[in-house]
Amino acid sequence: MPLKVLTMLQHRLSPSMGRTLQCPWISISRQSHAHSVSHCQSSIFASNVLRDAARSAWPWQQQRGCKSAASSSDNGNSVSADNRTFFATTPLYYVNAEPHMGSAYTTMAADAIARFQRLLGRRVTLVTGTDEHGEKIAEAAAAKGQQPQEHCDGVVSAFKGLWEELDIRYDSFIRTTEPKHEAVVKSILSRVWETGDIYKAKYEGWYCVGCEAYKDDSEMEGDHACPTHKKRCVEREEENYFFALSKYQNQIQALIEEEGFVQPEARRNEMLGWVRAGLRDFSISRAAVAWGIPIPLDPSQTVYVWFDALLGYMSALLPEGVEAQPKELQARGWPANVHFVGKDILRFHAVYWPGMLMSAGLPIPKKIFAHGFLTKDGMKMGKSLGNVLDPRSLLKAYGADAVRFYFLKEIVFGQDGDFSELRFRDIVNAYLANSIGNLLNRTQGLLKKNCSSMLPVAASSIPADNPLRVLAAEQADRAEAAYQDFRLHDALEAGLAISNRGNLYMEEVAPWTAFKKGSDAEKHAAAAALVAVLEAVRIVALIMSPVTPGLSSRIYAGLGMSPEQFDCLRWSDVQWGGLPEGQSMPKPQPVFARIEADPVTDVSVSAVSMAAQ
Ligand SMILES: Nc1ncnc2c1ncn2[C@@H]1O[C@H](COP(=O)(O)OP(=O)(O)OP(=O)(O)O)[C@@H](O)[C@H]1O
Ligand SMILES: [Zn+2]
């Protein structure tokens, strides 16, 4: 645990120590009070907590065997044996330039979904990384007067630094220049070669260096321009090695016809149209590109960057020296439950990739999910076009939670969306600072003033028909289904529906009036209302935690939980009844500061557009 968190917790928790209970109108036996203080002590003396993590887990966590963060994978919700693992990937980003908001978008979404899956108790492997070979990289390095490897190293550290700032928790980061990856590429190439699916032939066509792909007439705009890169493709003629993709026409078509393999539905239809038009073999080597992995039997050619990069998902799982054999791969979670990609690279994942795997005799991924584009003036933000939004300036000004929340809540995952800083600020202030942060803060203020910051009753004693309790149960179910289906905005809206209702509930109950001039019974009801709101906020924090992990941790700490307790949290803890009687809260502190400073970008301030595809 970072020292800073520890110190903060100690600082926050200590003022309530040894204080006498100031709610005479509520009967808590001295014994249960003493019990709650000792519970509180075990949280405060966090060094003890670290030594004996089991003691710091809450009772229901201990029941299911959660001892500490280290035991995070296999307890909690039960998952069936074939459902225990979850392996997801982001694209391996091309290192022709530093990451931008578009690269961050896929990674934030994949990270949120991986975090949700960890909460379900699955053993999650989230793979990200970088695609470092090819013509575009060699060109980018030359433009800077650098060797390709030196250029790649610089850009890779920018990617890794950004993932850290964005709170991305990946399990494996693969670089396609790693020796273990080169070994995997050569081994799979040999398998495909042995299957008889590789042949040499002459190719002539229009090539987009931006896409690193040949384009059909139907895939180009006027004057042979690439629609994504807005640049004229170049006419090329080469003798290359080809992969016999057309041999797998029927199998690939059947795969895409299967419901759920390609999502969303609009993207699946697009792929179906493309496949039904007839698959053509594609070239898997380049004669003119030196910056790549040499073809084992013909080192005068290097492996085509897409054939190379897709295999990175495999090498990411394998330790150095372990062969890319089906048994080894399956033991490490192969195949992927889902590859998250932008729609620009869907075809490589939904068509070429399954073809390659079929040829190599390896299991194919279960799902490919293609999301939309972050756009600027209606055009895809991209490194090649240079019309990018720099995530670092947003992160510096607003922090990771705000950035993650805005993009995942405001843009429906699967559709395009334009960024607006004005909208960003409004949304973040309205929900994170007001609806959630303020609700927690003012409720804790009342608890401090009237109940010495200690919960007079357990959340479980709140009646089952309490409107907040009823709504929290409904919205937790909604959020679970939404996360399972990658509808991140919907999952977040479920959390926000609870906090919005919490604010309304406070206005309806107006506990401050009862505390001022109510009878003992009314004061009791007012105190119970505070418990209900705090319990609702606890549930909101858990529902939102895959997207706003920092904010959720601050809320948990604000509710008096120790880091070990929140490391042990599972999705099943969205159930009502987590906050125990006697739970002591630290001094109320804002968990999310309102954005007041000047905007930091010059990016369009138009309303967010969510152009349906
Ligand atoms: N504007 C964007 N909106 C959403 N995702 C994006 C965007 N740009 C890049 N991505 C993500 O990055 C992937 C492409 O990675 P790549 O490294 O090729 O980035 P790029 O910026 O699109 O590069 P280039 O502009 O050179 O084509 C996409 O499939 C998607 O996952
Ligand atoms: Zn292109």
Side-chain angles (χ1 to χ4, degrees), residues 49 224 236 516 548:
V49 170
H224 300 283
R236 285 219 173 140
K516 211 178 266 173
T548 57

Side-chain angles (χ1 to χ4, degrees), residues 126-275:
L126 176 63
V127 165
T128 189
T130 42
D131 172 8
E132 303 184 19
H133 290 129
E135 192 171 346
K136 206 158 52 158
I137 308 292
E139 278 178 6
K144 289 200 291 188
Q146 288 182 333
Q147 289 302 313
Q149 189 65 59
E150 185 188 358
H151 161 85
C152 292
D153 292 349
V155 180
V156 167
S157 52
F159 270 93
K160 286 188 170 171
L162 178 61
W163 299 159
E164 199 177 324
E165 279 181 62
L166 260 175
D167 241 342
I168 304 295
R169 200 198 287 181
Y170 54 81
D171 302 282
S172 175
F173 188 107
I174 182 72
R175 299 182 56 177
T176 58
T177 50
E178 287 178 54
K180 73 168 184 179
H181 173 71
E182 184 165 339
V184 166
V185 172
K186 288 180 171 166
S187 139
I188 298 297
L189 204 58
S190 307
R191 289 173 78 104
V192 175
W193 201 295
E194 280 156 24
T195 314
D197 287 342
I198 294 180
Y199 62 93
K200 204 169 186 183
K202 213 176 208 138
Y203 197 82
E204 216 186 313
W206 293 92
Y207 193 76
C208 171
V209 181
C211 293
E212 296 273 19
Y214 282 102
K215 300 272 173 181
D216 292 340
D217 283 346
S218 65
E219 294 169 317
M220 291 181 286
E221 292 176 341
D223 198 24
H224 300 283
C226 164
T228 306
H229 293 103
K230 306 289 172 205
K231 241 176 140 178
R232 191 169 192 270
C233 299
V234 285
E235 220 171 350
R236 285 219 173 140
E237 188 189 318
E238 259 191 28
E239 184 156 59
N240 293 146
Y241 290 96
F242 276 74
F243 172 64
L245 184 71
S246 56
K247 197 175 136 185
Y248 298 94
Q249 169 80 38
N250 293 344
Q251 279 162 270
I252 294 174
Q253 191 169 320
L255 178 69
I256 297 176
E257 278 164 357
E258 256 174 44
E259 209 164 310
F261 175 67
V262 174
Q263 282 186 340
E265 190 60 17
R267 300 268 88 88
R268 172 183 172 233
N269 291 335
E270 194 182 285
M271 284 300 105
L272 263 183
W274 197 76
V275 172

Side-chain angles (χ1 to χ4, degrees), residues 261-378:
F261 175 67
V262 174
Q263 282 186 340
E265 190 60 17
R267 300 268 88 88
R268 172 183 172 233
N269 291 335
E270 194 182 285
M271 284 300 105
L272 263 183
W274 197 76
V275 172
R276 281 177 182 155
L279 290 177
R280 284 193 299 168
D281 299 348
F282 70 97
S283 90
I284 56 157
S285 72
R286 294 290 180 269
V289 182
W291 181 239
I293 299 173
I295 297 273
L297 294 179
D298 182 356
S300 70
Q301 302 233 357
T302 52
V303 178
Y304 171 46
V305 66
W306 269 107
F307 195 95
D308 170 350
L310 289 162
L311 292 169
Y313 299 140
M314 202 175 281
S315 31
L317 289 186
L318 296 170
E320 189 90 48
V322 173
E323 279 271 316
Q325 296 295 339
K327 214 173 91 217
E328 298 291 354
L329 285 161
Q330 276 166 322
R332 291 168 176 84
W334 191 269
N337 290 68
V338 55
H339 292 301
F340 292 109
V341 296
K343 60 184 177 181
D344 50 335
I345 57 172
L346 174 60
R347 190 201 305 169
F348 297 101
H349 286 79
V351 181
Y352 289 16
W353 182 221
M356 287 163 59
L357 292 168
M358 285 168 189
S359 173
L362 290 165
I364 47 182
K366 293 177 190 155
K367 193 183 291 300
I368 317 287
F369 187 96
H371 63 72
F373 288 154
L374 304 189
T375 56
K376 167 95 192 290
D377 304 327

Side-chain angles (χ1 to χ4, degrees), residues 310-546:
L310 289 162
L311 292 169
Y313 299 140
M314 202 175 281
S315 31
L317 289 186
L318 296 170
E320 189 90 48
V322 173
E323 279 271 316
Q325 296 295 339
K327 214 173 91 217
E328 298 291 354
L329 285 161
Q330 276 166 322
R332 291 168 176 84
W334 191 269
N337 290 68
V338 55
H339 292 301
F340 292 109
V341 296
K343 60 184 177 181
D344 50 335
I345 57 172
L346 174 60
R347 190 201 305 169
F348 297 101
H349 286 79
V351 181
Y352 289 16
W353 182 221
M356 287 163 59
L357 292 168
M358 285 168 189
S359 173
L362 290 165
I364 47 182
K366 293 177 190 155
K367 193 183 291 300
I368 317 287
F369 187 96
H371 63 72
F373 288 154
L374 304 189
T375 56
K376 167 95 192 290
D377 304 327
M379 286 210 293
K380 174 189 176 250
M381 238 180 241
K383 295 193 289 274
S384 298
L385 283 181
N387 57 346
V388 296
L389 174 63
D390 178 9
R392 273 151 307 197
S393 57
L394 287 181
L395 280 165
K396 197 159 158 234
Y398 306 121
D401 288 318
V403 172
R404 294 167 63 109
F405 174 76
Y406 172 82
F407 285 99
L408 300 181
K409 146 114 185 36
E410 271 308 279
I411 299 168
V412 174
F413 197 45
Q415 298 184 1
D416 288 356
D418 234 48
F419 173 77
S420 147
E421 191 172 0
L422 212 58
R423 177 95 182 134
F424 177 101
R425 295 156 65 91
D426 286 350
I427 290 285
V428 167
N429 277 341
Y431 294 116
L432 302 188
N434 292 350
S435 182
I436 300 176
N438 233 349
L439 177 64
L440 174 64
N441 202 251
R442 66 190 177 122
T443 311
Q444 284 183 313
L446 286 168
L447 190 80
K448 177 169 182 270
K449 194 163 162 209
N450 300 287
C451 304
S452 310
S453 291
M454 199 171 281
L455 295 190
V457 292
S460 57
S461 72
I462 303 295
D465 61 354
N466 175 290
L468 212 43
R469 183 169 177 167
V470 171
L471 186 88
E474 284 166 13
Q475 298 302 316
D477 287 348
R478 171 186 170 190
E480 178 171 351
Y483 275 127
Q484 293 278 22
D485 292 347
F486 313 143
R487 284 179 286 107
L488 295 170
H489 72 288
D490 197 18
L492 291 169
E493 276 164 16
L496 298 171
I498 302 173
S499 62
N500 289 343
R501 185 68 185 86
N503 281 290
L504 193 66
Y505 179 78
M506 281 289 266
E507 296 312 311
E508 285 167 4
V509 177
W512 45 88
T513 313
F515 285 133
K516 211 178 266 173
K517 49 184 189 202
S519 62
D520 278 2
E522 284 164 340
K523 283 179 181 162
H524 190 199
L530 300 186
V531 174
V533 172
L534 292 170
E535 173 68 359
V537 173
R538 183 192 69 79
I539 294 168
V540 171
L542 186 50
I543 290 177
M544 311 259 306
S545 66

